[in-house]
Amino acid sequence: MAEDGGKRAHLSPPGPSAGELTHIAHENYSSSQENKIQSHSSKLVTRPNVGDESNDGPPPPLPPRPGVAPSPQAATTKVQSIDVQTLQFPDGSRGTFQTPGARAMSTPVQLAANSGSSTPGRSSTVDADDAMSVMSIVAPTLRPPGDLASLMVSDMSRKSPAWQLLRSQSASVKPFETVRLDVRDSLADFAQEFEPVPGTSEQGGLGDEQRLAVWKSKLKHYMILSSSGKPIYSRHGDLSVVNSFMGVIQTIISFYEGADNPLQGFTAGGTRFVIVTEGPLYFVAISRLGESDAQLRSQLEALYMQILSTLTLPNLTSIFAHRPNTDLQKPLAGTEPLLSSLADSFTRGSPSVLLSALECLKLRKSHRASITSAFLKSHAGGNLLYGMIVAGGRLVSVIRPRQHSLHPSDLQLVFNMLFESGGIRSGEGENWIPICLPAFNNRGYLYMYVSFFDAAENTAPSSTSNSSDAVPEAIPFSPTHPTPQATSSDSIAIILISPSPTSFYDLQSTRNNLVSSLTKGPLLSHIRTSIQSGRPSLTTQISPGTPLSHFLYKSRANVQFCMPSSSPQFDSPLPRRKLMSLYHSLHGAVHARHCHLKVLHSVADDSTSLAWITPTFELYCVAGPNVSRAAMTQGANRIVQWAKREEERLFIIGGGVF
Amino acid sequence: MASRGPPGARGGMNTRFAQFKLVLLGESAVGKDQFDSYRESTIGAAFLTQTISLDENTTVKFEIWDTAGQERYKSLAPMYYRNANCAVVVYDITQASSLDKAKSWVKELQRQANESIIIALAGNKLDLVSEQPDKRAVSTADAEAYAKEAGLLFFETSAKTAENVRDLFTAIARRLPLDQVGPRHSRPGQRQGVSLNPESPNTNVGGPCAC
Ligand SMILES: Nc1nc2c(ncn2[C@@H]2O[C@H](COP(=O)(O)OP(=O)(O)OP(=O)(O)O)[C@@H](O)[C@H]2O)c(=O)[nH]1
Ligand SMILES: [Mg+2]
């Protein structure tokens, strides 16, 4: 998935604790020339034109560092101050001033808020290099590589006293709430993003031109084709719409392939094209959502993993070895829903995919330990490789043999199949699914036993046993089956994976044992209670009084992450996408190649955000546009303290080993 | 739950309870899932149970393997029909090619499955032709003649309206040896000490993919 996708979740104890966030640098993205209107307390405030001000003269000094006292243990892991600080002016000139230890180069990223249409500086040349192409998004001039640490503009101290006064009244503005009248929101069409392209007019749909218009209005496309140009998959539009585009893409890609200089991506207008070639397959992402090349590339890799998961690498290779012109749609028949739900989770924005990490259901340590020990006791052979209890995509418990770890990218495929795609019926029956988990072994299939606990408390194990004396009630066959749950967010799945195709009945006994021990005692209700109470609320449970609105915290040692409830602010798709776009740009900036950024503070028109990277954790947090750097820092420190305190409830450390 | 009693017919007082293994086979999208609304293609196979009462005293429970019809799962099918007491081979009466596929399943079952297996042929999506008779691609007479010749039970069904579905299962149940001991849970090939090494051949390169 992302750059550390190959990393396994060793589920082992974390490293040394990280220190406090004491020094931060920050970045100002609000270089736009537009006037914005911020609504607050029914007052309209016209924000001073930042661009003009920054022409005024030499850069002002950085504001004083936030006064958070470093804790004693901070010495080892204390965040390094940024090495070189740079001011960027609208006319393209730069000012740098140095602090000790220059060694990094920055990759400024553009925040999603200004993404898409409003990027005049975007280069339309073909960039083979990630870092180069990202840089070209913001900087009209090419920078000499290697001399910059960060794009930093001190903004607050530059404001007039009157502005400061007004600002201080609006600290409670939430992210993404400011209204911009003059710029068309590039995400305006996001609500229609997942609507299907209508059928042809013969099918009672639209004419070709209108269909094409709908197709073009999508902000994100994913296409898969064979190197001979045969279409394999397109997220939007049927083949009649997409065919000619596939042809053009194939021609462009193979032109560069022929020149031994594979095309990795290019920009056209506000749209980024990224191409990944995997053996006989071309994967293309077309995005107007402002993701970095590395992020788009990892999304395409995930689609490739889904194909491997269906076919295995040897099968894929041999299909094309025998007949290079093969139409892969046939061997893949039935997997479009899996590819599409994966693609849509990227388009909606998935923290798990972004961070290459898994999320756990928050449970008391002792409860999780009892569940895991019940799980281990239920183990009834069948060459079990991994056993998992998963609630709506969040891990509850894991058991595994000592020598095997879990791979987040594999589990993302499994969770996508079970909880997103609707391909597996939840609530009834048991499933036995051949699946290749490519990060574990892309050469062969494993067999996955899956059964769900009904949401409707029907916890009795499906009795393949007739040991009970009661003759079961006869149910007449009827077309009224329990409908599959629209959202599987509250369904609990038991997943048992074995390399042996004949182990179904052993795994079924394991599951039956487990279900009876979970239902006999209070364990199942512990799980249910935690599901019902949802993710902890940031403002009431995690950090009362915090100026932050949302965060992502990744424990690097555990390859797991946690986040607060998104309710109510980020519940609907659009604010959620804006939030995720912001996280993508933060993540992209701190993970850009050659970037050794430890802390990134960024201020935009509609939000303030902070990324903080240490050897043990990554923290990304978001607040409203007027939250001060000091408040942000303090908020971040509180989150880290909370995560440390709750570590053993938030994360599975080690899991059950047999 | 770990100890599974020997399944099969059981008489207590005047009641009989029998349990049988049934496998559903047929081309993809013919309607093997007993249908609620739009449903994605089955991945792998699903294991379900259904219980019907034949009369006041007789209850029959089916353990059903609903297999996936996609070509790439074809090589896994023997795992599901090997120990089946009965099979329902489904085709779509609006798709002529699906009957050809059904015929090849019947052949395979007659060659490879349990000798005493009871096979039913089900022409599904009957509701579609009641509304639009010109949608029919396989005539009842043709299919019935084939079924007779091959010794199969035959029904035209609709998973959507449930028409004839119950009759089909009842007919199967009546053919099953209710008074004898039912099926044995066979648990083939277990505990052979399969290595978990990822490179191990036991992860079945080319396993379920028939391509
Ligand atoms: N009108 C009508 N449609 C049906 C009927 N049975 C199934 N369908 C439709 O046919 C489609 C395929 O049905 P499934 O039950 O998924 O087909 P399947 O045979 O299980 O396919 P695989 O799982 O791929 O093997 C579904 O979209 C159903 O809506 C029926 O009796 N009448
Ligand atoms: Mg099916």
Side-chain angles (χ1 to χ4, degrees):
Chain A
M1 317 288 304
E3 65 293 315
D4 54 348
K7 207 181 271 177
R8 300 154 174 218
H10 278 290
L11 301 169
S12 55
S17 67
E20 296 248 311
L21 174 55
T22 52
H23 301 167
I24 59 171
H26 72 261
E27 186 168 343
N28 185 1
Y29 291 106
S30 32
S31 57
S32 57
Q33 303 286 334
E34 303 98 29
N35 293 321
K36 303 124 213 130
I37 294 172
Q38 298 176 309
S39 56
H40 173 66
S41 319
S42 72
K43 266 182 273 184
L44 284 183
V45 179
T46 308
R47 191 160 162 180
N49 191 314
V50 177
D52 288 345
E53 283 191 10
S54 53
N55 276 333
D56 284 352
L62 279 179
R65 293 201 159 112
V68 181
S71 67
Q73 93 266 31
T76 47
T77 52
K78 187 157 73 183
V79 171
Q80 301 282 315
S81 176
I82 297 306
D83 309 325
V84 178
Q85 301 174 338
T86 304
L87 283 178
Q88 169 120 29
F89 305 112
D91 63 359
S93 61
R94 281 177 292 117
T96 56
F97 44 100
Q98 203 154 8
T99 54
R103 59 186 150 74
M105 147 189 166
S106 79
T107 305
V109 274
Q110 169 200 38
L111 280 191
N114 325 333
S115 74
S117 50
S118 60
T119 52
R122 189 177 284 233
S123 155
S124 59
T125 53
V126 172
D127 294 308
D129 179 292
D130 277 354
M132 290 264 287
S133 60
V134 178
M135 257 198 319
S136 68
I137 293 171
V138 174
T141 51
L142 260 190
R143 300 139 174 262
D147 68 340
L148 310 171
S150 163
L151 174 70
M152 273 179 288
V153 177
S154 162
D155 63 332
M156 300 304 181
S157 56
R158 223 183 306 128
K159 304 278 168 27
S160 68
W163 164 247
Q164 295 288 15
L165 206 66
L166 285 169
R167 208 210 85 229
S168 68
Q169 295 174 3
S170 57
S172 61
V173 175
K174 296 272 194 288
F176 317 127
E177 281 184 352
T178 46
V179 184
R180 305 176 59 162
L181 295 182
D182 51 345
V183 182
R184 211 185 81 88
D185 191 342
S186 61
L187 282 173
D189 295 333
F190 194 69
Q192 281 89 52
E193 179 67 17
F194 304 107
E195 299 294 319
V197 176
T200 55
S201 32
E202 297 107 73
Q203 301 158 348
L206 302 173
D208 280 353
E209 241 161 71
Q210 288 161 296
R211 296 178 69 213
L212 200 58
V214 175
W215 185 78
K216 284 187 173 165
S217 74
K218 302 297 181 189
L219 298 165
K220 190 87 171 269
H221 287 274
Y222 295 91
M223 291 182 200
I224 307 174
L225 56 158
S226 71
S227 49
S228 64
K230 279 246 162 57
I232 294 167
Y233 169 82
S234 168
R235 171 60 188 92
H236 299 292
D238 55 31
L239 287 183
S240 67
V241 179
V242 167
N243 234 336
S244 56
F245 287 90
M246 294 264 195
V248 173
I249 289 173
Q250 192 262 344
T251 309
I252 297 174
I253 299 175
S254 41
F255 173 79
Y256 283 90
E257 293 269 303
D260 247 358
N261 180 19
L263 179 62
Q264 312 219 10
F266 57 93
T267 302
T271 306
R272 184 72 192 160
F273 292 69
V274 166
I275 293 142
V276 166
T277 307
E278 289 288 354
L281 305 181
Y282 293 152
F283 296 79
V284 184
I286 304 170
S287 174
R288 284 190 276 155
L289 293 174
E291 296 128 302
S292 77
D293 278 21
Q295 287 159 355
L296 290 171
R297 201 153 271 143
S298 77
Q299 296 170 9
L300 293 177
E301 287 294 333
L303 297 182
Y304 175 55
M305 292 297 154
Q306 176 56 62
I307 289 179
L308 289 184
S309 170
T310 307
L311 292 177
T312 74
L313 184 59
N315 280 327
L316 180 66
T317 320
S318 80
I319 287 171
F320 283 96
H322 295 314
R323 281 172 297 136
N325 257 323
T326 306
D327 180 1
L328 201 61
Q329 288 187 70
K330 203 159 198 184
L332 285 176
T335 43
E336 305 93 276
L338 298 177
L339 291 168
S340 292
S341 61
L342 212 49
D344 287 355
S345 74
F346 303 151
T347 304
R348 277 194 305 273
S350 156
S352 172
V353 172
L354 176 67
L355 301 174
S356 293
L358 302 166
E359 191 183 7
C360 297
L361 186 73
K362 189 168 181 255
L363 279 175
R364 296 188 83 99
K365 187 185 172 193
S366 61
H367 292 169
R368 195 177 328 261
S370 317
I371 292 166
T372 302
S373 101
F375 205 168
L376 286 169
K377 281 191 203 116
S378 307
H379 180 196
N383 284 315
L384 186 64
L385 184 58
Y386 300 128
M388 284 173 279
I389 305 173
V390 184
R394 283 180 284 168
L395 275 173
V396 175
S397 172
V398 178
I399 62 170
R400 63 189 172 93
R402 185 168 306 280
Q403 70 273 31
H404 288 299
S405 328
L406 295 160
H407 305 261
S409 65
D410 284 343
L411 292 192
Q412 271 151 16
L413 296 179
V414 171
F415 293 178
N416 175 59
M417 177 189 282
L418 301 185
F419 300 102
E420 306 289 339
S421 75
I424 303 295
R425 50 172 102 192
S426 71
E428 78 175 289
E430 296 152 78
N431 301 276
W432 186 233
I433 299 164
I435 186 172
C436 166
L437 297 179
F440 172 73
N441 172 18
N442 63 19
R443 307 193 55 79
Y445 288 99
L446 298 168
Y447 295 83
M448 179 165 77
Y449 173 95
V450 180
S451 88
F452 285 90
F453 287 90
D454 287 14
E457 309 277 319
N458 175 15
T459 52
S462 87
S463 53
T464 49
S465 152
N466 61 354
S467 56
S468 86
D469 279 331
V471 171
E473 275 290 306
I475 327 157
F477 278 94
S478 81
T480 53
H481 269 260
T483 41
Q485 277 120 16
T487 73
S488 308
S489 61
D490 55 351
S491 54
I492 307 170
I494 297 177
I495 302 169
L496 304 168
I497 298 176
S498 161
S500 154
T502 53
S503 55
F504 176 84
Y505 293 104
D506 284 334
L507 301 186
Q508 188 185 47
S509 332
T510 301
R511 178 262 192 190
N512 288 346
N513 297 340
L514 176 60
V515 168
S516 42
S517 64
L518 290 185
T519 45
K520 238 184 306 183
L523 296 179
L524 184 62
S525 56
H526 291 327
I527 299 175
R528 287 230 158 90
T529 308
S530 172
I531 295 171
Q532 269 149 24
S533 48
R535 296 186 178 93
S537 151
L538 177 54
T539 46
T540 62
Q541 286 160 284
I542 298 173
S543 183
T546 186
L548 304 180
S549 297
H550 198 269
F551 70 85
L552 301 177
Y553 176 96
K554 173 179 175 179
S555 161
R556 297 179 97 172
N558 295 309
V559 202
Q560 292 164 44
F561 78 98
C562 64
M563 61 182 176
S565 154
S566 58
S567 205
Q569 218 187 327
F570 304 107
D571 270 346
S572 48
L574 184 59
R576 190 193 139 102
R577 178 63 231 182
K578 288 185 172 171
L579 178 69
M580 287 309 303
S581 291
L582 188 47
Y583 283 137
H584 275 78
S585 30
L586 288 173
H587 183 274
V590 293
H591 287 90
R593 219 182 283 166
H594 313 304
C595 172
H596 298 274
L597 220 49
K598 298 291 188 292
V599 178
L600 174 69
H601 178 232
S602 84
V603 180
D605 308 334
D606 56 0
S607 61
T608 315
S609 52
L610 181 111
W612 180 12
I613 311 300
T614 77
T616 52
F617 66 82
E618 295 178 11
L619 175 68
Y620 305 86
C621 39
V622 171
N626 302 317
V627 172
S628 75
R629 192 149 57 119
M632 196 81 188
T633 310
Q634 195 184 31
N637 277 320
R638 293 238 172 91
I639 301 300
V640 171
Q641 284 156 10
W642 169 81
K644 295 268 166 253
R645 208 166 53 234
E646 301 279 318
E647 182 158 40
E648 296 194 76
R649 296 179 177 183
L650 294 168
F651 304 121
I652 295 179
I653 298 168
V657 171
F658 55 84
Chain B
M1 285 301 162
S3 62
R4 211 183 284 109
R10 233 181 37 211
M13 308 291 283
N14 274 335
T15 64
R16 289 186 300 174
F17 174 70
Q19 182 167 318
F20 296 97
K21 286 169 170 285
L22 183 146
V23 62
L24 289 168
L25 297 166
E27 194 173 63
S28 181
V30 296
K32 293 181 296 297
D33 303 25
Q34 279 130 50
F35 187 75
D36 20 28
S37 53
Y38 176 76
R39 149 142 292 146
E40 310 288 3
S41 199
T42 303
I43 305 172
F47 186 82
L48 318 150
T49 56
Q50 277 287 16
T51 307
I52 61 168
S53 42
L54 279 187
D55 53 51
E56 276 161 31
N57 302 324
T58 315
T59 305
V60 176
K61 178 171 166 189
F62 289 107
E63 290 184 8
I64 303 171
W65 274 113
D66 171 14
T67 64
Q70 302 286 2
E71 201 50 36
R72 65 175 169 277
Y73 297 114
K74 187 162 187 327
S75 63
L76 286 177
M79 219 157 77
Y80 306 113
Y81 65 64
R82 196 181 295 134
N83 303 292
N85 307 92
C86 37
V88 178
V89 180
V90 187
Y91 70 96
D92 176 348
I93 59 176
T94 68
Q95 298 290 334
S97 63
S98 69
L99 180 61
D100 297 336
K101 185 77 216 178
K103 287 178 179 173
S104 82
W105 277 122
V106 170
K107 242 192 222 150
E108 180 168 341
L109 287 171
Q110 289 174 334
R111 250 198 340 260
Q112 321 259 30
N114 202 325
E115 259 176 42
S116 60
I117 192 168
I118 306 223
I119 306 174
L121 181 69
N124 193 38
K125 307 201 184 177
L126 187 56
D127 58 295
L128 288 181
V129 303
S130 331
E131 288 160 24
Q132 296 166 276
D134 57 321
K135 276 204 166 173
R136 181 183 279 277
V138 178
S139 80
T140 313
D142 286 357
E144 197 156 24
Y146 161 71
K148 199 164 207 172
E149 182 194 310
L152 320 173
L153 290 164
F154 174 68
F155 284 87
E156 287 194 324
T157 59
S158 166
K160 187 173 185 180
T161 64
E163 186 175 356
N164 277 346
V165 173
R166 204 194 137 89
D167 293 348
L168 168 77
F169 280 85
T170 308
I172 293 171
R174 294 209 183 280
R175 282 259 197 121
L176 287 166
L178 290 178
D179 296 319
Q180 297 162 27
V181 170
R184 205 144 273 129
H185 275 279
S186 72
R187 306 169 66 172
Q190 279 155 17
R191 303 207 176 82
Q192 323 122 308
V194 176
S195 144
L196 295 180
N197 183 329
E199 301 308 320
S200 148
N202 285 303
T203 50
N204 296 295
V205 174
C209 180
C211 18

